[in-house]
Amino acid sequence: MKLSEGDLLPLAAKYFKLADLDMASLRRLKPDFNQVSFSECQRRNCLIGRLDSETQLTVVVTDPMDTRLRHWLEVRLQQQSTRLALATSADLHAYLVSAEKSVRAMDAVKVQQEVNLPTGSSTTSISISGIDATESPVVRLVDSTLYDALRSGASDIHLETHPGGMVIKYRIDGVLEVIKQIDNIDLAHQAISRIKVVSELDIAERRIPQDGRFQVVVDSREIDFRVSIMPNLFGEDAVLRVLDRKHLTGQFQALTLDTLGFDKSVLNFIRDASQMPYGLLLVTGPTGSGKTTTLYAALSEINTGLDKIITIEDPIEYQLPGVLQIPVNEKKGLTFVKGLRSILRHDPDKIMVGEIRDAETAHIAVQAALTGHQVFTTVHANNVFDVIGRFANMGVDSYSLVAALNGIVAQRLLRMNCPHCATPTDEPLKMLRHSGIKPERNLEANFKRGLGCAHCRGTGYKGRRAIAETLPMTDILREQLVQRAPLSQIRQSARTNGFTSLRDAALVLALKGETTLEEINRVTPIE
């Protein structure tokens, strides 16, 4: 005989000695979304609160057999006095829907007059005050999305329009996570328009990409959002990059190379290259791989006050005391090229160029490194060997580049297993083969995997760590690069001098149980 949900609940309540809550009892419950956020309650089908004037927490679930959820709640609630209660999925869903109007309404947003950010660009500032339930649904949707993203520690917010509405995603620890879905195409279009209004973009133009920015003030803290609007088949998509200057500045006040998590050999290489009197240090990797953080760590260590250090960036992510930091402002004509030329007339000792984007910037940076200046910069390439080709495509003479180079660093960020829920595991043979791991190496492996808990938002990963490959300039390598030797020959010379690839560095962490094979396969190519 098949039991319905209504038959199972009394049986489960009797077996587990749980309370059985109906809709009337749920309405008497005062939810505590500080314990477990509203979005987590929706995603995990649970609720935390107190009945009437009780001090004991009531944990409402719909499936008492879900041991993973119960373990997650135990870790989140720790030693607090709790009792477990049951509710039907329909009742709990109805309760959460009714509570959403008041919970999702973030602080009311007031658009102020234009202000000048530290970057020197003009943008709109948004200040956050008390809750106002009378705001329109569009304003509440956008505001709650910004607020949730800040609380979740997201680096980017993606609003993707589709035929039925919109999907909202956060990038957390470098990976996109679906947060909510809006099943209303008109509301989706209005949300994009709202973002364009606060970013001072043209809301009538929906056929071309647009870029803008705005600022949110939360608890007297200025948080910048860089906005990219892109047209698609069903309307427009928006991506918002979150930049919390005060948080970053506080986080990196004690920033050194030792705090980045690199291997000792990589640390020694970066430290030695950054202390050279002149030359070019290149850091390469995709967007969001921590290139700028590495350069700032190197600058903070050599910033003794004896040298003139000047940076040109777009944007300035956080402030370094005693360093002249110049923001790129293309609307006013201050580009990397013009700024770098002016910097060379400002008597610098060390220069940091945020990114080499064009041939002219590349030529000036190389010439500066050849004329007694130390230049730190980033460039987009897949590995240390591809950097040479990138500069060749920009028309930079190979001899000049090789003569200027002190070294190249290519880096990535890997998600680490959550220390609270990581458990030993045996990887299947198919995964080992797919990851390029030989059977004999599996014998010495200590694979682990996070099960998912409150500390890691159920993902199994907590935090990220940098891995890198480095290419020091030896005489043999310089000759091969100038003569444009085959890539296989250059790689062999590098390995002879102890070169360790990104894949090798990632594999070591997986074998130690600090991350998973899926993660290293996502970030690094299989060699």
Side-chain angles (χ1 to χ4, degrees):
M1 181 179 67
K2 185 177 180 180
L3 295 176
S4 65
E5 183 181 40
D7 296 326
L8 278 173
L9 282 173
L11 181 63
K14 179 180 178 182
Y15 184 77
F16 288 96
K17 298 180 181 179
L18 307 177
D20 188 1
L21 299 183
D22 56 13
M23 194 59 187
S25 300
L26 277 175
R27 285 174 180 154
R28 297 198 336 263
L29 188 74
K30 295 180 180 178
D32 188 349
F33 294 117
N34 291 322
Q35 300 282 349
V36 176
S37 68
F38 181 78
S39 58
E40 286 287 355
C41 288
Q42 278 191 318
R43 188 159 69 94
R44 298 181 180 275
N45 221 19
C46 65
L47 184 64
I48 314 296
R50 290 178 173 82
L51 282 171
D52 300 327
S53 58
E54 293 181 357
T55 57
Q56 187 182 41
L57 280 176
T58 297
V59 181
V60 183
V61 297
T62 59
D63 181 9
M65 304 291 188
D66 190 346
T67 55
R68 186 171 179 177
L69 172 61
R70 293 180 67 177
H71 174 69
W72 184 86
L73 289 169
E74 286 172 5
V75 174
R76 172 59 65 91
L77 302 176
Q78 297 178 349
Q79 303 299 324
Q80 297 185 62
S81 175
T82 61
R83 68 167 180 172
L84 206 58
L86 286 173
T88 65
S89 295
D91 283 349
L92 185 57
H93 177 72
Y95 177 87
L96 290 174
V97 168
S98 64
E100 185 170 10
K101 293 180 181 179
S102 58
V103 173
R104 283 294 188 188
M106 197 191 72
D107 303 331
V109 173
K110 298 178 180 178
V111 179
Q112 300 176 343
Q113 300 296 324
E114 289 185 358
V115 296
N116 289 324
L117 289 180
T119 59
S121 61
S122 179
T123 186
T124 300
S125 177
I126 299 176
S127 66
I128 298 179
S129 55
I131 293 177
D132 186 356
T134 63
E135 289 281 8
S136 71
V138 178
V139 173
R140 290 203 305 271
L141 170 63
V142 174
D143 296 351
S144 65
T145 300
L146 298 181
Y147 183 67
D148 288 344
L150 293 175
R151 290 193 62 183
S152 302
S155 61
D156 300 86
I157 307 170
H158 289 239
L159 292 84
E160 302 176 356
T161 306
H162 58 80
M166 173 185 288
V167 175
I168 299 176
K169 303 176 182 178
Y170 298 161
R171 187 177 294 279
I172 301 174
D173 284 341
V175 178
L176 284 177
E177 180 179 338
V178 177
I179 300 300
K180 52 189 170 183
Q181 183 162 338
I182 310 301
D183 297 324
N184 186 326
I185 188 64
D186 292 332
L187 184 60
H189 292 326
Q190 292 170 22
I192 298 293
S193 296
R194 166 69 177 169
I195 291 172
K196 291 167 76 173
V197 166
V198 299
S199 305
E200 297 182 334
L201 301 178
D202 186 358
I203 63 173
E205 181 57 74
R206 298 186 177 183
R207 297 164 296 178
I208 61 173
Q210 298 187 65
D211 296 316
R213 60 182 60 187
F214 64 92
Q215 188 181 82
V216 168
V217 181
V218 183
D219 298 329
S220 302
R221 190 169 85 239
E222 295 177 349
I223 301 171
D224 295 334
F225 288 84
R226 285 194 294 169
V227 180
S228 173
I229 305 292
M230 192 71 64
N232 71 7
L233 188 61
F234 312 106
E236 293 173 296
D237 283 10
V239 175
L240 285 65
R241 169 65 60 88
V242 183
L243 185 57
D244 188 347
R245 295 177 191 278
K246 187 172 181 180
H247 172 71
L248 288 173
T249 301
Q251 183 180 357
F252 294 123
Q253 278 179 348
L255 178 67
T256 63
L257 290 169
D258 293 321
T259 62
L260 299 182
F262 285 122
D263 290 335
K264 187 175 181 180
S265 60
V266 175
L267 287 176
N268 292 336
F269 171 82
I270 299 175
R271 188 168 280 128
D272 292 343
S274 63
Q275 292 174 351
M276 297 287 284
Y278 54 82
L280 182 64
L281 175 61
L282 284 171
V283 181
T284 184
T287 302
S289 59
K291 302 185 298 295
T292 304
T293 302
T294 298
L295 290 182
Y296 265 108
L299 286 177
S300 66
E301 287 197 356
I302 63 175
N303 182 21
T304 60
L306 300 177
D307 295 316
K308 180 73 171 183
I309 303 176
I310 306 177
T311 74
I312 180 166
E313 308 165 66
D314 183 24
I316 297 173
E317 295 189 4
Y318 48 91
Q319 291 80 43
L320 272 179
V323 175
L324 173 58
Q325 297 175 268
I326 304 170
V328 167
N329 192 334
E330 294 187 358
K331 291 182 180 180
K332 301 295 184 181
L334 179 55
T335 62
F336 276 112
V337 173
K338 291 185 178 180
L340 190 51
R341 282 177 176 163
S342 298
I343 286 172
L344 293 175
R345 296 191 294 268
H346 208 69
D347 190 28
D349 294 298
K350 304 181 188 300
I351 305 168
M352 189 187 96
V353 183
E355 180 185 348
I356 290 183
R357 299 176 178 174
D358 52 64
E360 198 169 357
T361 306
H363 279 92
I364 298 173
V366 171
Q367 290 302 315
L370 288 171
T371 53
H373 302 91
Q374 189 177 22
V375 180
F376 301 79
T377 188
T378 71
V379 64
H380 287 286
N382 291 326
N383 53 59
V384 292
F385 303 105
D386 290 346
V387 172
I388 309 299
R390 283 276 293 155
F391 276 84
N393 291 337
M394 293 181 187
V396 177
D397 178 62
S398 298
Y399 181 83
S400 297
L401 175 62
V402 170
L405 267 179
N406 288 333
I408 308 173
V409 180
Q411 68 180 67
R412 299 290 189 277
L413 292 177
L414 278 176
R415 292 184 297 169
M416 295 290 99
N417 283 328
C418 175
H420 301 279
C421 63
T423 57
T425 182
D426 293 324
E427 295 291 349
L429 185 60
K430 183 179 179 181
M431 174 57 71
L432 295 175
R433 288 174 178 171
H434 177 67
S435 304
I437 299 177
K438 296 180 180 179
E440 58 269 20
R441 199 168 185 185
N442 183 36
L443 299 176
E444 61 188 38
N446 182 27
F447 293 118
K448 290 185 179 181
R449 183 181 302 275
L451 298 177
C453 65
H455 297 279
C456 60
R457 295 171 54 87
T459 63
Y461 298 98
K462 180 70 173 178
R464 291 188 291 176
R465 177 176 170 180
I467 58 171
E469 62 183 20
T470 59
L471 187 65
M473 289 292 110
T474 63
D475 291 339
I476 295 177
L477 193 59
R478 291 181 195 275
E479 291 178 6
Q480 291 176 337
L481 291 173
V482 170
Q483 296 170 1
R484 298 195 176 186
L487 182 59
S488 58
Q489 186 178 344
I490 296 174
R491 281 182 177 272
Q492 183 59 40
S493 297
R495 287 193 178 276
T496 303
N497 292 320
F499 173 77
T500 300
S501 68
L502 282 167
R503 181 67 181 185
D504 292 337
L507 196 55
V508 168
L509 294 179
L511 293 174
K512 289 181 179 178
E514 296 183 29
T515 188
T516 63
L517 293 180
E518 288 89 349
E519 178 65 9
I520 70 169
N521 291 340
R522 183 186 69 87
V523 175
T524 62
I526 301 171
E527 297 178 350

